[in-house]
Amino acid sequence: MSQDHELERSVRAICQAHDRDAGRLLDIVRQVQVREGQVSGAALDLIAEELGQQRVEVEGVVSFYAFFSEEPQGRIVIRLCGDVIDRMQGAERVGKVLEDELGIRFGETTEDGLISLEWTACIGMSDQAPAALVGNVIVTQLATDAARDLVRELRKHGDPQRLVRTFGDGNNAHERVRAMVVNNIRQAGPVILAEMEKGSAIRKSVALSPAEVVRAVKTARLRGRGGAGFPTGMKWQFTRTAEGDTRYIICNADEGEPGTFKDRVILTERPHLLFEGMTIAGYAIGAEKGILYLRAEYAYLRSMLEEVLDTRREKGLLGAHICGKEGFAFDIRIQLGAGAYICGEETALISSAEGLRGDPKNRPPFPAQKGYKGCPSSVNNVETLCCVARIMDNGAGWFAQLGSECSSGTKLFSVSGDCRSPGIYELPFGTTLGELLELVGAGDAVGVQVGGPSGKMVGPADFDREFCFDDLATGGSIMVFGPERDLLEVASGFMDFFIDESCGYCTPCRVGNVLLKERLDKVRAGLADASDLDYLERLGETVRTASRCGLGQTSPNPILSTLENFRPLYEARLKSPDESLLATFDIQGALEESRGITGRDSLHFRREDGRQNSQEKGATA
Amino acid sequence: MSETFTFVIDDKEIEGCFGQTILEAAEEAGVYIPRLCHLKGLTPFGSCRVCTCMVNGRAMAACTQPAAPGMIVENASERVTEIRKSLVEMLFVEGNHFCMFCERSGDCELQGLAYRFGIAAPRYPYLFPERDLDASHDDIFIDRNRCVLCGRCVRASREKDGKHVFGFVGRGPAKRVQVNAEAALAETKVAVTDEAVAACPVGAILKKRTAYRVPVGERRYDHEPIGSDIEKRRTAAAE
Ligand SMILES: Cc1cc2nc3c(=O)[nH]c(=O)nc-3n(C[C@H](O)[C@H](O)[C@H](O)COP(=O)(O)O)c2cc1C
Ligand code: SF4
Ligand code: FES
Ligand code: FES
């Protein structure tokens, strides 16, 4: 069979295996990508034809996601995490070794078509950086000599899985996971990381009415753990009462905020707790279907998660008549992402799960009214749903008394950077940042990025603040920076992240972040003066205000929060006032000739004597 | 007729009805809210953000936000205008806009907004991106240097022409308009009479051999600022 026929046969088969459902486009493209090493023009046409779509729509999707490529890629793609934390731990040196050993640069493929090399955003391994994805296999704590061996081995056997010699703790060693990833659970708490009997929370829930379950979640004062902190009970109430026959519960396991990896540990060690929470959510809002949107970087967990789902189906914890409850049917499917931070934003996530570009949607309507496929949907974070299961098992009152007055329960923190014990900490709300820093062994921290790049960089003046929704709110990412670090370099790295990850839909985020980064780097290079700081503040404020979704509304934060909390770092790099203007330069004299030619005055440098030219009109751009 | 209600834009009471956006209700009342990606008759898109208003103190896009009873909308205030100017300037530096030798000059909505806001030159540095041109079609050409990613061609082709000639590819700063073909516009079903071609607010999709049919000096925004037609309705109604 010719190559063309071979491609045609395989693409058509993949589409047919997905019932030619355009809603499954991400899964289809992923399979084509894996099989062919690219999604070529010919493949675009075939997919479009099979799904009854337009080529340009399919191309729009393929070109949106970092893990898809229209150009041919190597059989194995090495994606080195280029996040700030990984760079601090030597990722750049590792990258150099990989380039040398492979004889290619980042963005290229070896001539034999075996290996491609790319940078990627945080892959959720900041506590064991530098880390890389080799195919679907995670490689952690990658030193330069290990990087050299890695390439040599791949050249020998071409099997990423064989790079894994020792397995991590807990389920990382599960036969369906077999990863070198470690959990680094440093402090377990009573809500997420405690043990629970399977089905216990569901049984207690279905003994109540769905409305009573919603009420319990409200009584527990549970608020979303994904970052925005929206009251979960209220979200469910809206979804439950919205008009529609079919409802969906969607678990957000996109975990893309750099420095966050707590959902990875939950998925690894507490999948039953999570699925239990999802099932209860389904009962409460009246959904028969749930979707776990799993980021592509965590694809290595998929097979184990599927097995857990099967086990639960066998035990009657999923499927029809769950726990013997007449009329309560619920099941869950896993949707893999494809490398896009923006897909953690709930409306972008829905777009993506529908097989579209991961563009956020216009609101209103909100997902609770019209979400996945236009049906009322509730999107909840992994940790939030685990809290739900625990609330239903232990009681709303029990949960509400944990934590602080304004924020009930515990919170998982993912700690990385300059500290002795990076990893996972489950602590009650109300814990101060200083207490956490003590626990992790970060006595000499000068700056802490709370909540990831979209959060804030704070200094010692803020270390006595409490974690809670009304003070230091965070989705859980805590990155610690010691005295050796250049915080403006850190901020610049975060801006790179936002530029790469912006969906590009709206003007302020698509253009504004590029401009912010340009001016920050001008400051870093010692070429800026005081007016540039005003420029940064005003531009940052505009991007924050005018952007369409949460990404652009928070993307200036690395700059705005360092300007607020670390202003002397900027001021130290400014040119002195007498350096910034060339006093010897006569601008009026220099403009005389062009005034003569154009017959009008300069709009910026008006003649000092105030004379106006009669021809002078309005402005031109 | 659907039920009406009132809300306020810049201290002026406006009548709206359910289902209308703030922009639509304002327009009917003769209040111009600057816009670029919005085009009457197409699904609201919300990408340029030029129509940003403060609604009860929060920034919102007037072209997508439904009007609601009692809303307090800030449209012409200094801070709102400042945001809009900044956005227009961003669009100028993001592409390669050389108005002085662009055949759309005087009839270009982006340029019209700049005139209206009194923007002499953008405060931001030009990014000088590398963008390409597609002159493959007999009657139409695309100059991506001037594209502002408003999506009007994409929507008009789909919603009005019943074709899918245009779409978006890439993301972030690399996002661009693509045609529904392997290589170029000539391979698509586009026709010079398509609404998609007329929908472009700038000089990115142009009809060939029409450049100077309307002489410079007699074009839409040569004498009156963009939005004047809408504002005239209000003066007419007041008289
Ligand atoms: C750019 C962006 C990325 C986000 N990423 C995530 C994510 O990875 N996981 C998550 O749970 N929420 C994320 N969110 C928040 C979600 O939009 C949403 O608020 C959350 O999933 C709701 O769940 P919760 O109420 O349980 O927190 C993100 C938001 C934005 C704006
Ligand atoms: S702010 Fe705008 S460009 Fe940025 S991710 Fe959101 S919709 Fe996309
Ligand atoms: S006109 Fe409203 S966002 Fe463009
Ligand atoms: S004058 Fe605006 S695009 Fe040409």
Side-chain angles (χ1 to χ4, degrees), chain B residues 23 34-38 45-52 61-64:
Chain B
L23 187 139
R35 77 288 301 270
L36 186 60
C37 69
H38 176 80
F45 198 55
S47 74
C48 73
R49 311 314 275 180
V50 169
C51 68
T52 298
C63 70
T64 57

Side-chain angles (χ1 to χ4, degrees), chain A residues 29-337:
Chain A
V29 171
R30 185 183 172 89
Q31 287 196 7
V32 173
Q33 175 75 47
V34 168
R35 243 199 84 101
E36 309 292 331
Q38 77 183 107
V39 187
S40 63
L44 291 176
D45 282 329
L46 284 164
I47 296 171
E49 189 194 316
E50 282 288 323
L51 304 184
Q53 282 201 319
Q54 303 296 323
R55 173 196 165 106
V56 72
E57 293 175 288
V58 180
E59 187 178 4
V61 170
V62 171
S63 61
F64 189 90
Y65 296 94
F67 283 29
F68 299 152
S69 165
E70 287 172 72
E71 302 306 317
Q73 281 190 316
R75 204 159 62 66
I76 304 163
V77 183
I78 302 179
R79 295 188 169 89
L80 183 60
C81 177
D83 184 56
V84 161
I85 297 292
D86 290 68
R87 286 182 195 265
M88 274 164 43
Q89 325 270 15
E92 254 149 296
R93 283 194 304 276
V94 172
K96 186 82 194 42
V97 169
L98 290 173
E99 283 185 330
D100 290 348
E101 201 61 34
L102 290 164
I104 55 171
R105 315 298 300 254
F106 277 88
E108 294 177 352
T109 302
T110 53
E111 247 169 55
D112 59 1
L114 182 65
I115 299 172
S116 296
L117 184 60
E118 289 180 1
W119 286 110
T120 193
C122 179
I123 61 172
M125 302 289 155
S126 318
D127 59 337
Q128 38 213 300
L133 263 172
V134 182
N136 281 342
V137 173
I138 308 261
V139 178
T140 59
Q141 296 192 310
L142 190 55
T144 44
D145 48 342
R148 202 165 288 124
D149 294 346
L150 178 150
V151 172
R152 287 177 190 167
E153 275 192 60
L154 283 180
R155 284 226 162 99
K156 229 181 288 158
H157 54 62
D159 179 8
Q161 185 56 45
R162 281 173 62 186
L163 299 169
V164 182
R165 296 256 163 54
T166 47
F167 300 140
D169 53 333
N171 278 336
N172 291 299
H174 188 287
E175 57 171 9
R176 292 198 174 201
V177 180
R178 301 197 302 142
M180 67 169 79
V181 179
V182 289
N183 291 324
N184 277 335
I185 298 172
R186 309 282 181 175
Q187 182 145 339
V191 178
I192 308 295
L193 295 169
E195 294 294 335
M196 193 181 73
E197 186 205 328
K198 285 184 206 69
S200 158
I202 299 182
R203 272 190 291 278
K204 291 178 187 168
S205 300
V206 297
L208 305 172
S209 73
E212 285 169 323
V213 174
V214 174
R215 202 169 315 134
V217 171
K218 283 186 181 170
T219 308
R221 291 186 287 119
L222 177 62
R223 292 173 64 172
R225 270 35 176 173
F230 196 83
T232 308
M234 214 196 285
K235 190 186 281 187
W236 287 7
Q237 180 82 34
F238 292 149
T239 317
R240 223 178 99 67
T241 53
E243 232 172 277
D245 301 328
T246 311
R247 281 159 228 283
Y248 290 92
I249 173 84
I250 302 176
C251 173
N252 189 341
D254 196 54
E255 186 156 75
E257 189 71 41
T260 315
F261 45 85
K262 47 116 187 158
D263 292 342
R264 185 241 305 156
V265 174
I266 295 179
L267 291 161
T268 309
E269 296 303 327
R270 292 291 177 274
H272 281 285
L273 187 67
L274 168 63
F275 292 140
E276 188 115 359
M278 273 182 89
T279 309
I280 294 166
Y283 179 69
I285 68 166
E288 290 193 358
K289 286 182 189 145
I291 299 170
L292 175 72
Y293 188 94
L294 183 68
R295 68 185 308 214
E297 291 80 349
Y298 295 169
Y300 74 99
L301 292 171
R302 183 187 185 150
S303 168
M304 185 266 287
L305 293 170
E306 294 283 9
E307 188 188 66
V308 172
L309 290 174
D310 282 339
T311 309
R312 294 184 72 83
R313 286 180 194 119
E314 279 157 27
K315 291 194 178 335
L317 298 172
L318 282 175
H321 316 303
I322 293 172
C323 291
K325 179 79 178 180
E326 211 41 52
F328 175 40
F330 185 75
D331 212 326
I332 296 170
R333 82 168 172 94
I334 298 177
Q335 172 67 59
L336 267 192

Side-chain angles (χ1 to χ4, degrees), chain B:
Chain B
M1 224 188 101
S2 52
E3 218 183 312
T4 62
F5 54 83
T6 60
F7 68 106
V8 175
I9 303 184
D10 294 335
D11 301 326
K12 182 181 184 294
E13 202 158 272
I14 302 267
E15 194 162 284
C17 53
F18 289 99
Q20 258 181 337
T21 62
I22 295 174
L23 187 139
E24 286 163 345
E27 181 157 334
E28 225 156 80
V31 173
Y32 172 66
I33 298 180
R35 77 288 301 270
L36 186 60
C37 69
H38 176 80
L39 184 63
K40 208 180 243 168
L42 299 181
T43 308
F45 198 55
S47 74
C48 73
R49 311 314 275 180
V50 169
C51 68
T52 298
C53 291
M54 290 294 168
V55 180
N56 300 332
R58 283 190 53 201
M60 287 179 174
C63 70
T64 57
Q65 188 64 36
M71 264 181 172
I72 309 286
V73 179
E74 213 179 292
N75 173 42
S77 70
E78 204 176 313
R79 67 168 169 169
V80 169
T81 305
E82 186 45 41
I83 289 173
R84 293 175 182 161
K85 276 169 103 162
S86 165
L87 294 169
V88 168
E89 291 173 38
M90 286 185 204
L91 289 169
F92 268 103
V93 302
E94 186 195 24
N96 300 309
H97 296 271
F98 301 102
C99 298
M100 61 298 255
F101 38 80
C102 174
E103 56 181 83
R104 203 61 206 266
S105 188
D107 189 36
C108 166
E109 294 181 32
L110 181 68
Q111 188 193 40
L113 286 165
Y115 274 126
R116 187 180 168 110
F117 291 138
I119 297 168
R123 76 196 86 169
Y124 307 125
Y126 285 97
L127 300 175
F128 297 120
E130 222 173 281
R131 302 250 185 104
D132 58 8
L133 241 128
D134 179 349
S136 61
H137 194 276
D138 284 343
D139 304 318
I140 306 158
F141 78 89
I142 308 176
D143 184 350
R144 292 191 175 84
N145 287 292
R146 303 171 187 147
C147 175
V148 289
L149 301 172
C150 65
R152 280 163 47 161
C153 58
V154 177
R155 283 172 288 154
S157 185
R158 198 167 28 194
E159 297 170 15
K160 298 283 180 185
D161 304 328
K163 306 177 184 178
H164 281 77
V165 173
F166 303 98
F168 285 119
V169 297
R171 79 171 183 215
K175 182 176 179 176
R176 62 191 181 88
V177 160
Q178 175 66 301
V179 296
N180 193 24
E182 170 92 45
L185 193 59
E187 302 159 37
T188 69
K189 294 190 193 135
V190 77
V192 71
T193 47
D194 279 1
E195 300 243 11
V197 176
C200 179
V202 294
I205 302 180
L206 290 169
K207 296 178 189 169
K208 291 181 176 175
R209 300 176 299 278
T210 62
Y212 292 97
R213 247 176 228 174
V214 182
V216 170
E218 289 175 25
R219 299 180 172 189
R220 268 198 295 175
Y221 311 125
D222 281 343
H223 300 285
E224 284 178 334
I226 190 170
S228 303
D229 50 336
I230 293 169
E231 284 164 327
K232 269 190 209 145
R233 272 184 227 163
R234 180 165 162 194
T235 2
E239 272 161 15

